[in-house]
Amino acid sequence: MKISKIQIRNFRLLKDFSLDLEDELSLILGKNNTGKTSILTALDKFLNQSSRRSITLDDFNVGLKKVLLQYLSGVKELPIENCYQPLGIELKVYIEYTEQDDLSQVSSLIMSLDPDDNNIVFKFEYNIDHEQLIKLKDDYTEQSEKFDNNPELFLKEHLGDYFGSVKKKSLLFTDEAVFIDLVKENIPLNDILSFNFISAKRSVTNKDNDKTLSHQTAKIYKISDESNEQIDASEKFKETLRKTDDELSAIYADMFDGLIQKINQFGGVNPTDTKLKVSSTLQHRDLLDGNTTVMYSHDTHDLPEHYNGLGYMNLISMIFDIEMVMGKFRRSLKEKPAAINLFFIEEPEAHTHPGQDHELYLDLKV
């Protein structure tokens, strides 16, 4: 099962965009400000919806925004309902499957009886219907002075009131009028399609106090601890922590003995009823964060991570990020991975040497 095509309409720089994906690995190349990041952001906002990822007016293509503002300001008359095509942003994801694929997670979305139709099409829409468009115009006309007669200010504040929530559908490949409403049918999208990406905006620096790689080891552990991948090592780690807890608790008893005696004497605590003590409770999930350091061994010396070049640090950090994303894709022992996992890596040419990029892409393909 694979994603064969992605189509995006009216999102930021993408007016009417279509991308055919390769079977294994696809590279998207282009100059700055041509919409590469817009692809990732559109997928993230539609597939990983949350309040933090909500669609805003700034996500609208300039042409779409211009039409809306012309309607509100009266420069352009509202269309009659019979001629109106809903205005908004749209994402389509085309999926192809074969007889060899496990279709258990997508069986409810297979609508065609045609044996040659092996397609599933997801459609996500953030648009405004004709009734809401009229209401939007009437409400703005009534409140325009409050917004300095600026329709853009009104839209920014009230966009969600008229566009509502994202509509999620699974379309019949041969007839888009036939569809399944994923929300009404309560079909969880994250069981079918999981999307993650690594942004080009990373926190890697070579400052003396930078410990980006070290913090990433803690995040990787938290993910791997929930999977089968490192279960033996994880159990040994926890066992060692339990023994350390016992040893530290004994030390704490001596360290805080004087304090405990004062509490018993002046704190109103009856030592015959309640016994206070200070215990060690090391948390295996949090211990690595801030307490590990990635080192570079050079000859007989161990050097901290920021001693290496920024290009190599970025490449290593990216590998760490990839491992974290793969852990999310694998999920925990009790959860079945999504039927399809889509992973994008955004990498500007300034971050690494072209030779390093080439080797990384070859390794990813393997």
Side-chain angles (χ1 to χ4, degrees):
M1 199 178 312
K2 68 167 188 174
I3 296 176
S4 59
K5 182 185 294 186
I6 295 171
Q7 292 180 338
I8 302 172
R9 189 170 62 86
N10 288 331
F11 187 86
R12 297 192 183 180
L13 293 174
L14 307 175
K15 173 68 176 174
D16 193 4
F17 174 82
S18 182
L19 172 67
D20 293 316
L21 297 180
E22 300 294 330
D23 289 345
E24 296 177 347
L25 180 69
S26 299
L27 300 181
I28 302 172
L29 307 175
K31 297 178 181 179
N32 290 335
N33 206 34
T34 55
K36 300 187 299 297
T37 300
S38 296
I39 302 171
L40 305 186
T41 308
L43 289 167
D44 191 38
K45 290 203 171 194
F46 279 111
L47 301 182
N48 298 325
Q49 288 177 40
S50 69
S51 57
R52 185 176 62 84
R53 299 183 179 94
S54 60
I55 295 173
T56 68
L57 187 62
D58 292 331
D59 293 322
F60 283 34
N61 177 267
V62 291
L64 171 62
K65 188 189 298 185
K66 181 180 178 181
V67 171
L68 278 170
L69 295 178
Q70 286 177 335
Y71 283 149
L72 293 188
S73 61
V75 173
K76 197 170 185 177
E77 288 190 11
L78 294 180
I80 59 175
E81 187 172 3
N82 293 340
C83 301
Y84 177 68
Q85 291 293 326
L87 294 169
I89 302 172
E90 179 184 291
L91 166 69
K92 284 183 182 176
V93 179
Y94 292 80
I95 297 171
E96 293 180 1
Y97 59 86
T98 66
E99 294 180 354
Q100 287 72 42
D101 289 321
D102 178 3
L103 303 178
S104 59
Q105 290 165 285
V106 298
S107 58
S108 60
L109 304 178
I110 299 176
M111 294 179 279
S112 176
L113 299 177
D114 183 354
D116 295 327
D117 184 357
N118 63 335
N119 300 279
I120 295 172
V121 183
F122 285 126
K123 184 178 182 180
F124 305 87
E125 299 171 299
Y126 187 72
N127 56 28
I128 183 170
D129 61 31
H130 191 264
E131 182 181 349
Q132 286 297 312
L133 181 62
I134 294 174
K135 188 175 187 307
L136 171 62
K137 172 66 188 306
D138 291 342
D139 289 350
Y140 170 69
T141 302
E142 185 178 327
Q143 303 177 47
S144 59
E145 291 187 6
K146 180 181 173 182
F147 290 88
D148 300 327
N149 295 309
N150 187 335
E152 187 166 351
L153 293 179
F154 181 82
L155 269 179
K156 282 186 175 182
E157 187 166 325
H158 295 286
L159 188 69
D161 297 339
Y162 303 95
F163 278 76
S165 57
V166 173
K167 302 174 184 68
K168 306 175 188 178
K169 302 175 181 177
S170 179
L171 311 177
L172 182 64
F173 182 69
T174 54
D175 184 0
E176 291 193 8
V178 180
F179 64 87
I180 296 173
D181 188 316
L182 301 182
V183 177
K184 288 183 179 179
E185 298 299 325
N186 198 27
I187 298 175
L189 181 66
N190 60 354
D191 287 344
I192 302 168
L193 177 57
S194 179
F195 170 71
N196 270 285
F197 71 95
I198 297 175
S199 172
K201 295 180 180 179
R202 306 194 189 112
S203 57
V204 175
T205 71
N206 52 8
K207 295 179 181 178
D208 289 353
N209 61 350
D210 183 78
K211 294 190 69 177
T212 299
L213 305 183
S214 302
H215 289 310
Q216 285 175 311
T217 59
K219 294 179 180 178
I220 291 173
Y221 171 72
K222 289 178 182 179
I223 296 172
S224 62
D225 178 54
E226 297 176 353
S227 68
N228 220 354
E229 181 184 348
Q230 298 183 8
I231 193 166
D232 291 337
S234 178
E235 288 302 320
K236 189 174 182 180
F237 181 36
K238 295 173 189 176
E239 180 183 352
T240 303
L241 287 184
R242 287 193 291 269
K243 293 178 181 177
T244 305
D245 271 339
D246 293 338
E247 294 176 6
L248 288 176
S249 293
I251 295 172
Y252 292 164
D254 292 334
M255 288 177 61
F256 296 101
D257 180 61
L259 175 63
I260 298 299
Q261 290 184 26
K262 291 178 181 177
I263 292 173
N264 289 336
Q265 183 177 358
F266 303 109
V269 178
N270 189 339
T272 60
D273 296 333
T274 305
K275 187 176 181 180
L276 297 179
K277 65 178 181 178
V278 178
S279 298
S280 171
T281 54
L282 296 173
Q283 297 295 316
H284 69 98
R285 289 182 180 277
D286 301 320
L287 185 64
L288 272 66
D289 197 1
N291 295 299
T292 56
T293 302
V294 175
M295 307 291 289
Y296 296 107
S297 293
H298 181 72
D299 295 333
T300 59
H301 303 286
D302 288 337
L303 305 175
E305 63 184 70
H306 64 267
Y307 271 46
N308 215 327
L310 188 58
Y312 278 105
M313 283 183 63
N314 179 73
L315 185 60
I316 294 169
S317 175
M318 193 195 311
I319 294 170
F320 277 33
D321 281 334
I322 291 171
E323 183 62 27
M324 284 187 278
V325 171
M326 296 305 294
K328 293 177 181 177
F329 282 150
R330 286 188 288 266
R331 300 185 177 178
S332 67
L333 294 173
K334 298 178 181 179
E335 292 181 289
K336 188 176 182 179
I340 296 177
N341 294 301
L342 179 61
F343 186 14
F344 272 63
I345 300 175
E346 186 182 24
E347 178 61 14
E349 68 282 355
H351 273 184
T352 56
H353 189 277
Q356 293 176 332
D357 279 344
H358 179 68
E359 292 300 321
L360 175 65
Y361 297 142
L362 289 180
D363 290 342
L364 285 175
K365 189 170 183 178
V366 173

